[in-house]
Amino acid sequence: DYRVVSHLETDGVANAFWKSTIQATSSGTIGGKTLTPALYDSFTVRRDGKKQQVSLTYADKAPKLFAEPAYNTTSYSVTPDEQKNTFDPLSAVMGIVSGTIARSGNGCDLTAPVFDGRRRYNIEMNKVRDVDIKLDNGLYQGKGLLCQIHYRQIAGFKPTILRKKDAYPTINAWMVPFKNGAHDYLVPLKVWADTSFGPVTAVTNSLKVDGVAPRNS
């Protein structure tokens, strides 16, 4: 069984455009090279104070949506076929980290099909090269992978956004494989992209794998 918990709160310049707080959880099961989501819950508070709850429950490899308050799902619709065999956003992250959806041994070669209740998109990742990593915060120094991540819109977006889908910046990531017993994990230590607002970077500052801080390699 797995359970993922996420807390997202915008800050700084992002608040001028999209001030939100999002609490989300996801749970499901992992078996061999398969990951099966069971329940996804998210609760959003927007800059105007409006609140939105979204839940996805899964049966027969397809999600069932609950939204409170209910929102329009027909203007920019996602068909039932497009929703099948997808992950919620947090299960997609678990699929990447756990290596269950990777197509090859390096772990960076994958496509995660995602449906979040409104939008259908793919998170695509590929390996660029092996790299030596040294984080400024001292958390890790050793071998790793430089991977590139692409965000591909499929459905549920305004037509103008879909026409501009190739304009989204490429996301770079330092990923490090950790083997612990029977499990192989692929952990992002640094993620960055050059955007129209300037460079955006996220760096891991705390890490435990199966409850243990991994040693540098």
Side-chain angles (χ1 to χ4, degrees):
D1 295 338
Y2 71 86
R3 184 170 184 266
V4 188
V5 179
S6 171
H7 173 82
L8 173 66
E9 186 171 352
T10 59
D11 199 3
V13 67
N15 279 347
F17 306 95
W18 185 71
K19 182 178 181 180
S20 294
T21 301
I22 304 174
Q23 299 274 5
T25 62
S26 178
S27 59
T29 57
I30 296 176
K33 297 294 291 183
T34 62
L35 183 143
T36 306
L39 174 64
Y40 170 73
D41 274 317
S42 70
F43 185 76
T44 303
V45 180
R46 300 188 179 92
R47 63 182 303 160
D48 57 6
K50 291 184 178 179
K51 301 176 181 179
Q52 179 72 62
Q53 180 185 358
V54 175
S55 293
L56 296 171
T57 53
Y58 293 81
D60 298 326
K61 298 184 179 181
K64 182 179 180 181
L65 170 66
F66 169 82
E68 179 61 42
Y71 51 74
N72 187 339
T73 58
T74 58
S75 296
Y76 310 109
S77 62
V78 181
T79 67
D81 282 344
E82 290 171 326
Q83 296 178 29
K84 287 183 178 179
N85 299 307
T86 59
F87 304 114
D88 63 82
L90 295 187
S91 291
V93 173
M94 176 58 69
I96 294 171
V97 172
S98 67
T100 54
I101 61 176
R103 287 189 291 263
S104 64
N106 66 53
C108 276
D109 182 19
L110 60 87
T111 297
V114 181
F115 176 62
D116 64 6
R118 279 183 183 266
R119 293 160 290 268
R120 170 72 178 84
Y121 54 91
N122 283 349
I123 301 297
E124 302 172 2
M125 190 161 68
N126 62 278
K127 177 183 174 181
V128 178
R129 62 180 181 271
D130 296 316
V131 292
D132 293 317
I133 296 174
K134 183 179 181 180
L135 292 182
D136 292 339
N137 60 18
L139 183 70
Y140 179 82
Q141 179 176 349
K143 301 294 183 180
L145 306 172
L146 173 61
C147 305
Q148 287 191 338
I149 305 170
H150 301 274
Y151 173 71
R152 307 291 190 194
Q153 301 97 318
I154 305 298
F157 300 86
K158 293 180 180 179
T160 53
I161 293 179
L162 287 175
R163 286 196 294 269
K164 298 177 181 177
K165 63 182 179 181
D166 293 330
Y168 277 78
T170 298
I171 302 169
N172 302 287
W174 279 348
M175 310 288 288
V176 176
F178 291 105
K179 186 173 182 62
N180 193 48
H183 298 285
D184 291 305
Y185 299 97
L186 187 68
V187 180
L189 296 186
K190 181 180 178 180
V191 181
W192 70 97
D194 291 322
T195 76
S196 57
F197 300 104
V200 177
T201 303
V203 179
T204 300
N205 56 32
S206 179
L207 173 64
K208 288 185 177 181
V209 178
D210 285 343
V212 177
R215 294 184 296 175
N216 292 344
S217 60

